[in-house]
Amino acid sequence: MAVVKCAIELRIADVVIDNHGSPMTLSELTTTLGCEPSRLHRIMRFLVHYRIFKEEPVTVDSIGFALTSLSRRLIRHGERSMAALILLESSPVMLAPWHSLSAHVNSWNSPFEAANGKDVWSYAAVNPGHSKLINDAMACDAKVVVSAVIEGCPQVFDGIKSLVDVGGGNGTALSMLVKVFPWIHGINFDLPHVVAVAPKVDSTDTSEVTCSSVSQMQTLFPYEAIPHDEGKVIIVQSVIEDNKDDKLEFVRLMLDMVMMTHTGKGKERTLKQWEYVVSEAGFTRFNIKRINAIQSVIEAYV
Ligand SMILES: C[S@@+](CC[C@H](N)C(=O)[O-])C[C@H]1O[C@@H](n2cnc3c(N)ncnc32)[C@H](O)[C@@H]1O
């Protein structure tokens, strides 16, 4: 992870894409990035070995470094970029709790809180630099998953006039949704320090997103505001399947470890655990739709 972080910080993938995606020789990369050539050579050799970049001929007697599907995910503002998420997860603040995971397996304490003195959201509230890392990381994840929701089950939004995104971060998910479903009025709901710096969403004549915040001590019961018969809660989350053939299952299990390390009680849930949560929250029925993503779409009805 540290070498991938290094590649993102050096903007190696961005430099190659600025070269019209054409392979770049070590000497071109060295000049553009201002690096020491033998060190950059060793880093590129490592990244090529892990298929994060690949070698391609530039001329008959010279080889250059080209992008692969993996390095395309490292372009800072690329379409399906994961750069911000990697920068967050490899930050010292997020890495520190992993070193004390073993010390917290016998309790419900949060390793994050033990390492950083506060829970993750309280820490972000007083550390704007870290909060920006979180918001940017959540936005890059939202771009990927919301595209999959729109593509995989657009009917989920049929007939919806008003949509509240609870914990919607900087509003990326809602702004994508109101662009595609412009009859929806979106309300992005998050903590004050997140909403205060969220970019203003461009509104068209018909689509609109407003921002709202809540103090961290307040509890929100979304279902109290849901109109009976026509309202629902849409949950976009992993459903752990214990399916060894599913090629994304390892990511869900990894995210579960991230939840354990970065939150006290957060977890990724199995179908049985979702059934329990949804019924305990007072919903009478729910359905799950699979999409082309790590997450599934759960619709819960009052
Ligand atoms: C894991 S992030 C998800 C962000 C966004 N939904 C996404 O997928 O990109 C959780 C969000 O919940 C917000 N949050 C945490 N506690 C909250 C609370 N008590 N009320 C409202 N939002 C909260 C955080 O600030 C953060 O933006």
Side-chain angles (χ1 to χ4, degrees):
M1 174 123 92
V3 184
V4 176
K5 176 187 187 180
C6 164
I8 296 170
E9 287 178 343
L10 290 175
R11 296 177 184 265
I12 302 176
D14 298 73
V15 163
V16 177
I17 208 78
D18 285 348
N19 195 41
H20 308 291
S22 308
M24 287 179 80
T25 62
L26 180 67
S27 121
E28 286 171 328
L29 265 185
T30 303
T31 310
T32 314
L33 298 172
C35 292
E36 200 283 313
S38 72
R39 287 206 145 180
L40 187 59
H41 159 69
R42 286 160 61 198
I43 288 172
M44 293 310 294
R45 181 174 62 185
F46 176 91
L47 294 171
V48 166
H49 186 82
Y50 282 92
R51 301 202 171 103
I52 296 171
F53 284 87
K54 62 183 175 189
E55 288 180 323
E56 274 185 1
V58 177
T59 62
V60 267
D61 52 8
S62 70
I63 293 283
F65 298 105
L67 298 174
T68 65
S69 54
L70 286 176
S71 43
R72 287 186 187 281
R73 308 295 288 267
L74 306 184
I75 297 167
R76 285 293 183 113
H77 300 291
E79 207 183 313
R80 292 172 64 80
S81 174
M82 280 290 133
L85 194 57
I86 295 168
L87 290 179
L88 171 69
E89 292 303 335
S90 58
S91 67
V93 171
M94 296 311 241
L95 284 180
W98 289 99
H99 297 293
S100 63
L101 183 56
S102 59
H104 297 284
V105 174
N106 60 352
S107 74
W108 283 107
N109 291 343
S110 148
F112 183 96
E113 207 165 326
N116 296 305
K118 289 181 164 60
D119 72 78
V120 69
W121 310 123
S122 307
Y123 184 90
V126 292
N127 289 280
H130 190 69
S131 183
K132 179 162 169 38
L133 272 183
I134 294 179
N135 297 338
D136 290 350
M138 294 307 119
C140 88
D141 182 49
K143 278 184 199 154
V144 174
V145 68
V146 174
S147 300
V149 174
I150 292 170
E151 199 184 303
C153 49
Q155 68 280 9
V156 164
F157 303 96
D158 283 354
I160 290 187
K161 297 188 198 85
S162 178
L163 183 63
V164 183
D165 192 359
V166 181
N170 68 9
T172 299
L174 263 185
S175 62
M176 290 171 75
L177 290 171
V178 298
K179 255 188 208 124
V180 179
F181 310 109
W183 56 87
I184 292 179
H185 171 220
I187 300 169
N188 187 46
F189 190 85
D190 209 292
L191 294 170
H193 69 273
V194 177
V195 168
V197 294
K200 204 173 153 12
V201 176
D202 281 345
S203 296
T204 65
D205 287 346
T206 45
S207 68
E208 192 188 343
V209 172
T210 52
C211 283
S212 177
S213 66
V214 65
S215 119
Q216 203 169 6
M217 300 313 289
Q218 282 175 270
T219 311
L220 185 78
F221 295 105
Y223 59 84
E224 287 175 357
I226 298 170
H228 276 252
D229 300 332
E230 45 177 338
K232 62 184 172 186
V233 168
I234 305 166
I235 303 163
V236 181
Q237 275 290 354
S238 298
V239 179
I240 291 185
E241 314 212 359
D242 210 8
N243 178 355
K244 291 182 183 59
D245 296 333
D246 184 331
K247 63 182 181 3
L248 293 179
E249 190 70 352
F250 82 99
V251 187
R252 297 184 191 105
L253 296 178
M254 186 66 225
L255 284 175
D256 188 45
M257 291 296 100
V258 172
M259 284 292 134
M260 187 186 289
T261 308
H262 289 162
T263 71
K265 294 183 179 155
K267 61 168 81 150
E268 302 300 340
R269 294 179 167 84
T270 62
L271 177 59
K272 247 190 154 49
Q273 289 168 325
W274 274 117
E275 263 169 19
Y276 177 78
V277 167
V278 167
S279 75
E280 282 294 298
F283 296 97
T284 55
R285 62 194 169 91
F286 76 102
N287 64 59
I288 296 187
K289 295 186 161 80
R290 315 268 167 215
I291 51 171
N292 187 19
I294 296 154
Q295 299 87 342
S296 294
V297 177
I298 304 170
E299 293 171 286
Y301 298 85
V302 182

